[in-house]
Amino acid sequence: MAVCVPLNQLTPSLFSNSQCKFSTHHGYGYWASPSYSFSYKNRKQIRPIRASVDTPPFPLFQPYKVDESISDGFEPADPDFYKIGYVRNVRAYGVEFKEGPDGFGVFASKDVEPRRRARLIMEIPLELMLTIRQKLPWMFFPDVVPIGHPIFDIINSTDPETDWDLRLACLLLYAFDRDDNFWQLYGDFLPSADECTSLLLATEEDLMELQDQNLASTMRKQQQRALEFWQKNWHSGVPLKIKRLARDPERFIWAVSIAQSRCINMQVRIGALVQDSNMLIPYADMLNHSFQPNCFFHWRFKDRMLEVMINAGQRVRKGEEMTVNYMNGQMNNMLMQRYGFSSPVNPWDVIQFSGNSRIHLDSFLSVFNLSGLPGEYYHNSQLSSDGDSFVDGAVIAAARTLPTWSDGDVPAVPSMERKAVKELQEECRQMLAQFPTTSKQDQKKLDSMQEPRRTLEAAIKYRLHRKLFVEKVIKALDIYQDRILF
């Protein structure tokens, strides 16, 4: 098992009096930026959709039984930074933390055969997390903010309905300033402002490169909101113990971007209290996103641990990345707004068609061997004789977004379907023509840039992914005609 080196005999407590104030606590202000690229995506646990898989993956948060012999066949992971001790330390089994295609991530260190039960690979104790209740009265557990500290006045001034990220950012900055706090150590593994892809840190030039005026306008408002909050609470008259937490607005906006992109929202039970919490959970935030995740999160209330579990029935090969689904049922613009990344195969992306043309839904689904209800579409490759590799999240998204009709067993009329397909393809081409650049030009620009700003690179990828999705729909309609109509 991993070595535990107590650095601080922390006594957890629960703070629930929203009228109290916090006492003075001194520490240092800024934390050194890491020297390498880190995965910048948040870890929010949502029920995964089923896309391009033979068997639908194990859903999150359903009852399960954990193997009692959690280390059976697994050696505990033990990288140097993982030895950071506290009252209790993190334990991980059969995984390793290293650089991957999407930045720093968690990878299997050995093959994992499918099992009927979910398999535990990581345990993270509550003492290492930063948590705040989503609703009044604010509750922190563990209570890292001493009674009387003015940071609580700032947290208490936020809007309970909308400002969860501002509250969590304040809590994170305070943890950096507290002597011997775990997050002073873990801060080395958070991305610096230059390494974040969050659009909160984007320049006006970066926002223009999105080629999406609605998203650019939303991010300008988000940036202004964070700036105004900093100006209100970090004015020249604030005490030094507040001022040193964020001496400039860039520091605070960076903290908000970390809060947004790494927050895990969970319902946790602590004793008899059940509460919805916004949580920053170390090591769990290293798992990157996938629309076909092989892991999920579970709260073990008996000893206040977050468990990272491999889905029941999931086969994982050595070197394969362990992933979770950050946000289910959301388009790329929402992923971009919250996490700073997008995907050309997002099964929930949408094309807004304005014409009256429609194709036969049942026929389209049968062509690509799609099964399930609209909210649970997945590719049943067992029915595909040629092992169709064309079907991915983009085709599943097309099945949801294309204008369709279905009248029981009424068959599609080839001539009418052909006409509808042509009209839909033409509307797609008109959408592509409205962009100032093509997908090939976007890809060429990405390839030609040397060490671009992360936000600029994310912006160009976003507009590229939008175009690739539309192009994929055009090609899917071509295949539909070839396989059904002729």
Side-chain angles (χ1 to χ4, degrees):
M1 304 300 290
V3 178
C4 178
V5 183
L7 300 182
N8 185 337
Q9 295 301 322
L10 181 67
T11 302
S13 62
L14 183 63
F15 184 80
S16 61
N17 188 347
S18 62
Q19 301 304 317
C20 290
K21 305 182 186 303
F22 295 122
S23 65
T24 304
H25 186 84
H26 293 282
Y28 67 91
Y30 289 87
W31 188 246
S33 300
S35 58
Y36 57 86
S37 176
F38 189 83
S39 174
Y40 36 81
K41 304 165 187 172
N42 168 39
R43 304 336 191 219
K44 179 173 180 181
Q45 64 297 334
I46 301 293
R47 177 183 299 273
I49 54 88
R50 297 176 286 182
S52 304
V53 292
D54 296 337
T55 304
F58 184 75
L60 308 188
F61 302 120
Q62 76 176 37
Y64 72 98
K65 294 182 179 180
V66 180
D67 286 331
E68 293 297 328
S69 55
I70 54 179
S71 60
D72 179 26
F74 276 168
E75 293 295 329
D78 195 24
D80 291 339
F81 66 85
Y82 175 76
K83 294 180 181 179
I84 297 173
Y86 227 55
V87 176
R88 294 185 293 171
N89 64 331
V90 180
R91 294 188 293 270
Y93 311 92
V95 297
E96 54 185 345
F97 306 86
K98 63 180 183 180
E99 286 283 344
D102 296 319
F104 210 70
V106 183
F107 295 82
S109 61
K110 63 182 301 181
D111 292 344
V112 179
E113 295 301 319
R115 289 195 174 187
R116 295 178 62 184
R117 298 178 180 178
R119 187 164 191 170
L120 177 65
I121 61 170
M122 201 181 302
E123 299 172 292
I124 303 150
L126 178 64
E127 292 92 332
L128 305 187
M129 307 175 192
L130 293 177
T131 73
I132 183 170
R133 191 171 185 261
Q134 292 182 10
K135 299 179 180 179
L136 286 169
W138 308 130
M139 295 182 182
F140 313 98
F141 202 98
D143 187 3
V144 298
V145 184
I147 301 298
H149 198 284
I151 193 66
F152 183 74
D153 290 336
I154 297 177
I155 292 175
N156 205 34
S157 70
T158 59
D159 187 328
E161 300 297 326
T162 60
D163 292 343
W164 63 270
D165 52 342
L166 302 180
R167 292 189 289 273
L168 202 55
C170 290
L171 202 57
L172 177 64
L173 289 171
Y174 174 76
F176 287 153
D177 188 61
R178 182 176 178 179
D179 288 339
D180 298 326
N181 187 272
F182 170 82
W183 284 82
Q184 289 186 342
L185 304 172
Y186 191 71
D188 272 344
F189 305 101
L190 296 178
S192 67
D194 292 336
E195 295 168 325
C196 284
T197 61
S198 171
L199 293 184
L200 283 173
L201 302 167
T203 65
E204 181 61 28
E205 177 189 352
D206 299 339
L207 296 180
M208 294 300 296
E209 293 290 347
L210 290 168
Q211 297 181 2
D212 184 338
Q213 290 302 318
N214 292 333
L215 179 57
S217 176
T218 298
M219 295 315 304
R220 291 188 191 100
K221 293 177 182 177
Q222 290 277 348
Q223 291 174 337
Q224 186 63 26
R225 165 177 168 264
L227 177 60
E228 290 175 354
F229 186 83
W230 179 85
Q231 292 172 338
K232 174 184 175 183
N233 295 287
W234 270 266
H235 53 80
S236 58
V238 299
L240 177 61
K241 57 187 174 184
I242 291 296
K243 183 178 295 185
R244 69 186 179 210
L245 301 184
R247 294 183 180 274
D248 54 67
E250 290 76 16
R251 174 70 171 176
F252 181 75
I253 294 175
W254 169 83
V256 176
S257 73
I258 293 295
Q260 286 191 2
S261 61
R262 292 176 174 271
C263 175
I264 298 174
N265 298 329
M266 292 194 71
Q267 185 176 84
V268 300
R269 175 180 166 187
I270 302 174
L273 177 66
V274 178
Q275 63 182 34
D276 295 318
S277 299
N278 301 124
M279 313 174 76
L280 290 176
I281 305 178
Y283 305 105
D285 64 3
M286 293 185 184
L287 276 79
N288 285 317
H289 167 81
S290 173
F291 295 111
Q292 303 173 53
N294 50 28
C295 293
F296 67 99
F297 298 137
H298 174 263
W299 180 255
R300 194 169 75 206
F301 74 90
K302 65 180 181 180
D303 55 354
R304 302 170 184 178
M305 287 271 192
L306 179 87
E307 299 175 322
V308 181
M309 312 290 296
I310 297 178
N311 295 332
Q314 183 85 49
R315 182 188 302 275
V316 180
R317 297 299 186 188
K318 181 179 179 180
E320 184 177 344
E321 187 168 12
M322 317 306 285
T323 57
V324 292
N325 193 339
Y326 292 178
M327 187 179 286
N328 194 33
Q330 296 294 338
M331 297 169 54
N332 272 342
N333 61 337
M334 291 303 299
L335 291 173
M336 196 68 187
Q337 178 180 329
R338 175 74 180 271
Y339 304 109
F341 74 91
S342 59
S343 170
V345 295
N346 183 350
W348 298 100
D349 226 351
V350 173
I351 297 177
Q352 299 294 340
F353 289 94
S354 59
N356 298 320
S357 301
R358 297 182 298 169
I359 60 172
H360 196 278
L361 175 62
D362 300 333
S363 298
F364 187 85
L365 295 180
S366 65
V367 162
F368 297 105
N369 296 304
L370 299 184
S371 305
L373 299 175
E376 299 177 339
Y377 281 151
Y378 65 96
H379 178 226
N380 194 339
S381 60
Q382 293 178 344
L383 301 178
S384 180
S385 59
D386 56 357
D388 194 349
S389 60
F390 176 81
V391 178
D392 54 23
V395 176
I396 292 176
R400 293 193 177 101
T401 193
L402 284 169
T404 59
W405 67 278
S406 181
D407 225 353
D409 296 329
V410 177
V413 178
S415 60
M416 297 298 293
E417 290 294 294
R418 184 186 307 113
K419 179 181 177 182
V421 165
K422 296 297 184 184
E423 291 176 353
L424 291 173
Q425 287 179 320
E426 180 58 31
E427 189 167 355
C428 286
R429 294 187 181 96
Q430 292 175 3
M431 294 177 188
L432 292 174
Q434 293 175 358
F435 287 102
T437 59
T438 66
S439 60
K440 292 182 178 179
Q441 289 172 331
D442 292 342
Q443 188 62 60
K444 184 177 180 180
K445 184 171 184 177
L446 282 173
D447 295 339
S448 64
M449 292 191 303
Q450 295 182 352
E451 298 184 359
R453 292 190 307 277
R454 300 301 298 275
T455 49
L456 175 60
E457 182 182 24
I460 297 176
K461 284 183 177 179
Y462 170 72
R463 77 192 197 199
L464 169 63
H465 292 163
R466 292 177 68 196
K467 297 163 191 173
L468 292 177
F469 172 50
V470 177
E471 292 172 357
K472 189 68 173 277
V473 172
I474 293 174
K475 188 173 181 180
L477 289 171
D478 279 333
I479 294 175
Y480 174 59
Q481 293 183 88
D482 293 339
R483 295 184 181 178
I484 287 295
L485 304 181
F486 307 106

